[in-house]
Amino acid sequence: MGYVVQLDAYEGPFDLLLDLIVKNEIDIWDIPIADITQQYLEYLHSLQVRDLAIGGEFLVMAATLLRIKAKLLLPQEQIGLEESEEEEDPREELVELLLRYRFFKEVAVFLRDRYQASVYYYDRGNRTEELDVTPVYTNLVGDITLNELAGMYRELLVEAQREPPIHSVVQRVSVQERLALVRIQLMGQSSVSFGQLLQNNTASEIVVTFLAVLELVRLGEIRVLQEKPFGNIQVRPYALEMEVMG
Amino acid sequence: MTLKEAEIIIEALIFAAERPISCKDIGDLLELKQSTVEALIEKIRERHGEGALMIRSVAGGYQFVTKPELAPWIEKMGRPVISAPLTLASTETLAIIAYEQPVTKAQIEEIRGVRSDSALNNLLERGLICELGRKDGPGRPILYGVTEKFLLHFGLRSLDELPPISIRSAK
Amino acid sequence: MTLKEAEIIIEALIFAAERPISCKDIGDLLELKQSTVEALIEKIRERHGEGALMIRSVAGGYQFVTKPELAPWIEKMGRPVISAPLTLASTETLAIIAYEQPVTKAQIEEIRGVRSDSALNNLLERGLICELGRKDGPGRPILYGVTEKFLLHFGLRSLDELPPISIRSAK
C-alpha cells in the first residue's frame, strides 16, 4: 500500500489506530482489520528498529488486533447471519472505544481553540491588592481586658527570670527519623505547609527536615508547591495509595 | 439606592472581585432582582463601549477584561500570559474529566488507552482539576472533577458550552 | 496611531499592568511624549468621571482602583470574615510588645521561650502591631510595636496608660 509510517509520537494506541484509519481513508465502521493490524505492527517494529521503548499499552492493543483478526478469519458457518446481527462483529467493541476516544480528542482540539481565543482577554493586572485579600477581623482580640494582658506579661517575666535549665540534651536527628516523622505529619493530609513541618524546630532540625522533604520528593511521595516567590510552600502527598495499603 | 447608584456599585464589584462574580451574588449583595442586575450590566457595557475594557461573561460570572484587539500592546508591555498552554495529552485528559466527572484515574486511562499520571498531576498542579472525594469500592480510588479555573482558562461560561456528546458522530 | 487610539491603549495598559505603570513606561511603549501621555490619562479620567473606576497615581505609576466611596460594598463582597479571637500565643506576644516596644522577635522569643513567628504574623494581619523599623546591630532585626488600632481597642490614649507592672508582686 506504500503507507509511510508517521514518526510522530502518538498519545497512545487509539491515537495511532485513528491516524492509520484517517491515512488510509477507511470507514471506521468497516475497518479492514488484517490490513490495519499489519500497519500497526509495522509501526511498532519501526519503533523497535530505532531502539525506542514501546509502551505496554501498544502491545496490548497489538494482541487485541490479532485476536480480532483471528476471529474474523474463522470460517463463518452461517454467512447470512453476519449481516443481520451486527453486534456479533468482533470489531464492534474496538470501534466503540475508538469513537469514544476520538470524541474526546476532538474536544481537546475545541478546548485548545478556546484557549487560544481567550488569551487575548486580559484581566485586571493588580489582582492581589491589599483591599481584596486582607481579612476582616470582627473579633480583634476577643474579650481580653487590659489588666489580663498586663497579668500575662508579668507572669511571662517571672517565668523568664527563673533560672535557665542546667543541662540541655543535645539531640541528633537523623534524616531517616525525620523522614518517618514527616510521613506521619502528612498522613491523611491533602496539603501541609512547609512552615507547619518546621514548627518548634531547632536550626539543625530544620536542616534535617528540609533534607527529608527533598528525599520524599525524590522518592515521588510528595510534591512541593510554591505559588509565588517567597510565598508559602505547600507540601502535598502524591499518592494516597499508601493510605489504602496501610 | 437609585438604579444609577446600583449600576455604579455593580461596576465596582465586577472590577474588584477576585474571580468572576455571578449575577446571583450581585443580586444578593444589593438586594436586587437578577433581571435588574442583568439590565444594569448592559448599561455598564454600553458605557464602556468606546473604551478599552469590556465585561466578559465567563465561569458563571462577570469579569472586566481588556478588549481582545488590545492584546498585542499588553503583551508588548510584558505581562505574561495568565497560564501557559497545555499539552494535547493534558487537554485530552481534561476533556474526559469535564464530561465524565466525577471520574477515577482508571476510567480516564481506559478511555485514553494510556497511563495518565503525569497529565493528572500537571492538571492538579495548575488547579484545573481537583479531587472530589473517593469512590466507594475496592481501593477507594480518588474521583476527579474540573474547577472554576478550568472554565476561566478556556474562557467558558459553563460546562454547557462544551460540544454535545456525540460519540456516534462517525462519518 | 491616532490620539484616540493611544488613549484606549493606555487605558488597557493601566488596567492590565501588574503593578502601577509609570508615565515614562507608557511613553516608551507607545513612542509618545510624557506630556502627551499625561494629557491622555486626563482624558481617560474624564471618561470614567461618572463610573465606578478611577485612575490613581501611586508608587510612581498609574493604577485603576474603585472610587473610595464604593469601598464598603467591596468589603461586603469579598473579604473573608474572621471572627476567631486571639490565641494564647498571640495574646502573650501582644502583651510583651505592648510593654517592651520597640522589641525584636528574638527578644519576644527569649521571654516566651518559644518561637513566635505565627503569633507575630497573626498580630500583624490584625493590624494590632506594626514594624517600627530595624534595630542597629547584627542582622538588623525588625522592631515591633503596637498600633493606634491597639490603643483604640483598649481605650488607651498612650502606652503610658498601660497598667504598671511590678514583678515582685507577682506570685
Side-chain angles (χ1 to χ4, degrees):
Chain A
M1 188 167 278
Y3 172 71
V4 180
V5 174
Q6 186 184 328
L7 297 180
D8 296 351
Y10 290 101
E11 296 288 343
F14 291 139
D15 203 18
L16 169 54
L17 276 179
L18 283 177
D19 190 54
L20 291 176
I21 287 165
V22 171
K23 286 258 155 60
N24 290 292
E25 294 174 6
I26 288 169
D27 174 5
I28 198 161
W29 291 104
D30 189 20
I31 301 172
I33 285 291
D35 205 19
I36 284 293
T37 304
Q38 178 68 22
Q39 291 188 24
Y40 185 92
L41 294 175
E42 272 169 18
Y43 175 74
L44 293 197
H45 183 67
S46 77
L47 291 182
Q48 222 169 16
V49 167
R50 289 182 297 141
D51 221 9
L52 295 172
I54 297 171
E57 310 89 0
F58 284 91
L59 300 175
V60 172
M61 178 60 75
T64 305
L65 288 171
L66 289 168
R67 200 181 63 232
I68 295 172
K69 184 177 152 191
K71 269 195 191 163
L72 285 171
L73 287 176
L74 283 179
Q76 296 288 336
E77 286 179 5
Q78 296 147 294
I79 288 165
L81 247 175
E82 204 211 347
E83 294 296 310
S84 56
E85 289 188 20
E86 225 175 341
E87 51 275 8
E88 286 205 353
D89 190 326
R91 297 174 297 182
E92 175 140 344
E93 198 190 330
L94 177 65
V95 171
E96 296 285 352
L97 294 179
L98 278 173
L99 287 175
R100 189 171 61 166
Y101 174 73
R102 191 174 72 174
F103 170 72
F104 288 115
K105 206 171 144 62
E106 281 163 8
V107 174
V109 172
F110 165 85
L111 285 175
R112 205 178 47 186
D113 292 347
R114 284 300 297 245
Y115 169 79
Q116 260 144 20
S118 80
V119 289
Y120 295 111
Y121 297 89
Y122 282 87
D123 62 356
R124 181 160 60 92
N126 56 329
R127 298 212 58 79
T128 45
E129 228 188 309
E130 203 185 326
L131 187 66
D132 302 320
V133 293
T134 316
V136 178
Y137 291 98
T138 55
N139 193 348
L140 203 55
V141 294
D143 46 14
I144 214 149
T145 66
L146 203 53
N147 281 326
E148 283 168 338
L149 203 65
M152 194 172 267
Y153 174 62
R154 190 172 53 211
E155 287 200 4
L156 283 166
L157 284 187
V158 171
E159 194 65 35
Q161 280 186 355
R162 293 232 173 95
E163 72 262 49
I166 301 159
H167 57 109
S168 55
V169 181
V170 179
Q171 238 187 339
R172 299 196 55 188
V173 200
S174 75
V175 176
Q176 280 311 316
E177 273 174 45
R178 189 49 56 149
L179 205 66
L181 185 64
V182 172
R183 278 189 182 130
I184 290 167
Q185 283 173 298
L186 290 174
M187 209 174 268
Q189 307 281 337
S190 61
S191 173
V192 172
S193 81
F194 191 54
Q196 264 171 284
L197 294 179
L198 296 180
Q199 233 156 39
N200 301 329
N201 276 358
T202 64
S204 68
E205 283 173 325
I206 288 173
V207 172
V208 178
T209 305
F210 183 62
L211 290 175
V213 166
L214 287 182
E215 177 67 6
L216 285 172
V217 170
R218 196 188 64 78
L219 292 171
E221 290 185 25
I222 59 169
R223 77 201 143 94
V224 176
L225 294 178
Q226 187 178 32
E227 302 208 317
K228 54 174 187 270
F230 308 108
N232 200 0
I233 298 173
Q234 289 294 326
V235 177
R236 297 197 181 157
Y238 246 142
L240 293 158
E241 278 94 304
M242 293 184 53
E243 201 180 294
V244 176
M245 282 156 60
Chain B
M1 177 174 36
T2 67
L3 278 182
K4 187 66 199 170
E5 282 165 352
E7 181 190 322
I8 304 296
I9 295 167
I10 293 171
E11 188 184 2
L13 293 177
I14 295 175
F15 173 83
E18 278 296 304
R19 0 175 272 188
I21 184 168
S22 71
C23 212
K24 187 180 172 308
D25 285 349
I26 297 173
D28 289 351
L29 214 64
L30 269 62
E31 291 169 24
L32 287 175
K33 276 191 299 189
Q34 292 194 29
S35 56
T36 312
V37 174
E38 272 166 25
L40 291 174
I41 288 174
E42 260 334 293
K43 284 214 166 280
I44 303 170
R45 282 190 163 132
E46 275 166 34
R47 193 147 43 73
H48 281 277
E50 60 155 359
L53 312 182
M54 57 178 273
I55 293 178
R56 174 166 78 148
S57 181
V58 67
Y62 298 100
Q63 182 185 48
F64 266 112
V65 289
T66 54
K67 290 181 180 164
E69 62 268 27
L70 297 164
W73 289 99
I74 294 161
E75 240 173 274
K76 202 172 166 193
M77 172 175 66
R79 168 125 184 236
V81 177
I82 305 117
S83 38
L86 294 170
T87 62
L88 206 55
S90 292
T91 315
E92 230 175 73
T93 307
L94 195 54
I96 293 168
I97 297 172
Y99 281 85
E100 305 277 314
Q101 65 173 357
V103 60
T104 65
K105 182 161 85 81
Q107 290 170 312
I108 295 164
E109 291 179 344
E110 197 197 300
I111 294 175
R112 292 192 61 219
V114 287
R115 297 204 50 160
S116 305
D117 304 70
S118 69
L120 275 172
N121 286 330
N122 182 256
L123 295 171
L124 279 169
E125 247 168 52
R126 286 166 175 257
L128 295 170
I129 61 167
C130 61
E131 298 181 3
L132 294 178
R134 283 169 180 278
K135 190 175 176 166
D136 285 331
R140 298 194 23 80
I142 298 167
L143 291 163
Y144 297 96
V146 292
T147 61
E148 201 179 71
K149 208 169 162 190
F150 161 78
L151 296 176
L152 268 176
H153 186 92
F154 294 103
L156 298 166
R157 255 194 302 273
S158 73
L159 288 177
D160 296 338
E161 280 199 304
L162 292 172
I165 297 185
S166 59
I167 293 178
R168 293 248 166 207
S169 77
K171 205 178 68 126
Chain C
M1 176 174 36
T2 67
L3 279 182
K4 186 68 201 169
E5 281 164 355
E7 180 191 323
I8 303 297
I9 295 168
I10 293 172
E11 188 184 3
L13 293 178
I14 296 175
F15 173 83
E18 282 172 316
R19 58 188 73 84
I21 183 166
S22 71
C23 211
K24 186 180 174 308
D25 286 348
I26 297 173
D28 290 351
L29 213 63
L30 270 61
E31 292 170 24
L32 288 174
K33 277 193 298 188
Q34 292 195 29
S35 58
T36 313
V37 173
E38 269 165 27
L40 291 174
I41 288 174
E42 263 330 296
K43 283 217 169 277
I44 304 170
R45 281 191 164 131
E46 273 165 36
R47 192 147 44 73
H48 282 279
E50 59 155 358
L53 311 183
M54 56 179 262
I55 293 179
R56 180 168 67 164
S57 184
V58 65
Y62 297 100
Q63 181 180 54
F64 266 111
V65 289
T66 52
K67 291 184 178 159
E69 64 268 27
L70 295 164
W73 289 100
I74 293 161
E75 279 181 29
K76 205 172 163 189
M77 163 180 65
R79 287 157 66 169
V81 173
I82 296 176
S83 65
L86 284 178
T87 60
L88 183 64
S90 296
T91 317
E92 274 181 19
T93 307
L94 185 61
I96 294 168
I97 295 172
Y99 280 92
E100 303 268 327
Q101 76 165 26
V103 61
T104 66
K105 181 162 85 81
Q107 290 170 314
I108 295 165
E109 290 177 347
E110 198 183 316
I111 296 175
R112 289 192 60 219
V114 286
R115 300 200 47 164
S116 306
D117 303 71
S118 67
L120 277 171
N121 284 334
N122 188 259
L123 294 171
L124 281 168
E125 235 176 53
R126 288 176 188 245
L128 290 167
I129 63 167
C130 60
E131 298 181 3
L132 294 178
R134 284 171 180 281
K135 189 175 175 168
D136 286 332
R140 298 192 25 80
I142 297 166
L143 291 163
Y144 296 96
V146 293
T147 59
E148 212 166 317
K149 203 167 169 185
F150 169 86
L151 296 177
L152 270 173
H153 183 88
F154 288 108
L156 297 170
R157 257 187 310 244
S158 78
L159 286 175
D160 297 339
E161 291 191 338
L162 284 172
I165 298 292
S166 84
I167 296 178
R168 294 267 158 214
S169 75
K171 209 174 70 103

